[in-house]
Amino acid sequence: MDEVPGSVGTSASFALRLGQTIFSSASLLFMSLGVEFYSYTAFCFLVTIMGLVIPWSFTLAMVDGYSVLVKCPLRQSGILLLIVVGDWVLSILTLAAACSTASVVDLLLHAEGSFCRQKFCTRYQISAAMAFLSWFLSMASSVFNLWLLPSL
Amino acid sequence: MDEVPGSVGTSASFALRLGQTIFSSASLLFMSLGVEFYSYTAFCFLVTIMGLVIPWSFTLAMVDGYSVLVKCPLRQSGILLLIVVGDWVLSILTLAAACSTASVVDLLLHAEGSFCRQKFCTRYQISAAMAFLSWFLSMASSVFNLWLLPSL
């Protein structure tokens, strides 16, 4: 059985999952430590999705870390299919949330009335950027695992 | 060789492509027949992406229609890979544009100052909904063709 780098149970996958966890946590923190996020639908959506992504990525990071330590990769097609579908759905939702946040921040920055104080807007922008990075890593995980799926 | 319903050169694929063309054209028309779309980045993004999706879907609809008529489906893995990747990239961009538009419209509707006249906002909403439908069909095309790819 070929070892696909980045699929479940490899150290590359562990790194990807760790990156997802870190970026989503950063996105959530930058967004929610401001006090005004709940007045915009897009920001609430981002917080909700990040609240889903963080436990998912963290759990899979633990699984990968365990697999690497005991040198016994997970190779059951049912579980792998579940992981691929979960990653895929979450990455679509992350992309949607990141795009919504980015476009709302852009609108707030360029609106005629001064809607957001400069400090908050920068934090929203950083949050959206972190969400995009998290999306990219999540999509990479999904593709690597999809690649492995037919060989099981 | 198995015939995957919805893959290139079948009548289901022709229907999918026709749906994409119709929904993206509707999205573009609802957005651009209003006069104010160029003042919001998200709306300009939607118009740009729809301008890419319409010719892509229309061309592939023509190819599918021709394949169905001459009963000679296209089965070259290089071309199929190109179509899968193109569909995938365009569906991600369509999703991003639809989410951005939807969140900006939501913000405009609920902003304190009356930013958009009611008539325009409804049209923007319809445009975003059409873009979501176009994304869904585009994603379906991509998945069906990806399914066919390993068998070539």
Side-chain angles (χ1 to χ4, degrees):
Chain A
M1 190 184 301
D2 295 338
E3 184 82 358
V4 179
S7 59
V8 176
T10 59
S11 48
S13 173
F14 180 67
L16 280 176
R17 298 291 176 192
L18 213 62
Q20 288 164 30
T21 314
I22 291 170
F23 285 130
S24 356
S25 309
S27 175
L28 184 64
L29 285 180
F30 272 108
M31 180 58 74
S32 62
L33 289 185
V35 285
E36 292 182 27
F37 81 88
Y38 44 79
S39 51
Y40 301 107
T41 315
F43 296 171
C44 294
F45 182 48
L46 183 76
V47 169
T48 313
I49 298 302
M50 288 303 141
L52 288 173
V53 169
I54 292 169
W56 170 267
S57 296
F58 187 71
T59 310
L60 288 176
M62 293 297 101
V63 170
D64 285 337
Y66 180 76
S67 295
V68 170
L69 281 181
V70 303
K71 294 187 173 47
C72 173
L74 187 77
R75 289 288 180 272
Q76 295 182 1
S77 70
I79 297 178
L80 198 62
L81 186 65
L82 190 76
I83 292 177
V84 169
V85 172
D87 264 335
W88 197 61
V89 171
L90 280 180
S91 72
I92 286 178
L93 288 174
T94 310
L95 176 65
C99 289
S100 307
T101 307
S103 59
V104 167
V105 171
D106 181 75
L107 187 65
L108 289 179
L109 271 178
H110 296 102
E112 289 179 19
S114 147
F115 262 108
C116 66
R117 277 160 284 169
Q118 192 58 41
K119 199 181 69 176
F120 279 143
C121 262
T122 311
R123 284 174 49 179
Y124 295 150
Q125 280 175 318
I126 295 174
S127 177
M130 293 289 154
F132 272 115
L133 287 173
S134 168
W135 162 70
F136 189 74
L137 295 182
S138 178
M139 184 59 88
S141 281
S142 182
V143 168
F144 285 133
N145 285 323
L146 187 67
W147 202 258
L148 180 68
L149 201 56
S151 72
L152 290 183
Chain B
M1 192 183 298
D2 294 340
E3 184 83 355
V4 179
S7 61
V8 176
T10 61
S11 48
S13 173
F14 179 66
L16 280 176
R17 299 292 176 191
L18 214 61
Q20 288 164 29
T21 313
I22 291 170
F23 286 131
S24 356
S25 308
S27 174
L28 184 64
L29 286 179
F30 273 109
M31 180 57 74
S32 61
L33 289 185
V35 286
E36 291 182 26
F37 82 88
Y38 44 78
S39 50
Y40 301 107
T41 315
F43 296 169
C44 293
F45 182 48
L46 183 75
V47 168
T48 312
I49 299 302
M50 287 304 141
L52 288 174
V53 169
I54 293 170
W56 170 267
S57 296
F58 187 72
T59 309
L60 289 175
M62 292 297 101
V63 170
D64 285 337
Y66 181 76
S67 295
V68 169
L69 281 182
V70 303
K71 293 186 173 48
C72 173
L74 189 77
R75 288 288 180 271
Q76 295 182 3
S77 70
I79 296 178
L80 197 63
L81 186 66
L82 191 75
I83 292 177
V84 169
V85 172
D87 264 334
W88 196 62
V89 170
L90 280 181
S91 72
I92 287 178
L93 289 174
T94 310
L95 176 65
C99 289
S100 307
T101 307
S103 59
V104 166
V105 171
D106 181 76
L107 186 67
L108 289 179
L109 271 177
H110 296 103
E112 290 179 18
S114 145
F115 262 109
C116 66
R117 278 159 284 170
Q118 192 58 40
K119 197 182 70 175
F120 279 144
C121 263
T122 311
R123 285 175 50 178
Y124 294 153
Q125 280 174 318
I126 296 174
S127 177
M130 293 289 154
F132 272 115
L133 287 173
S134 169
W135 162 70
F136 189 75
L137 294 182
S138 178
M139 184 60 88
S141 280
S142 181
V143 168
F144 285 133
N145 284 324
L146 187 67
W147 201 258
L148 179 69
L149 200 56
S151 71
L152 290 184

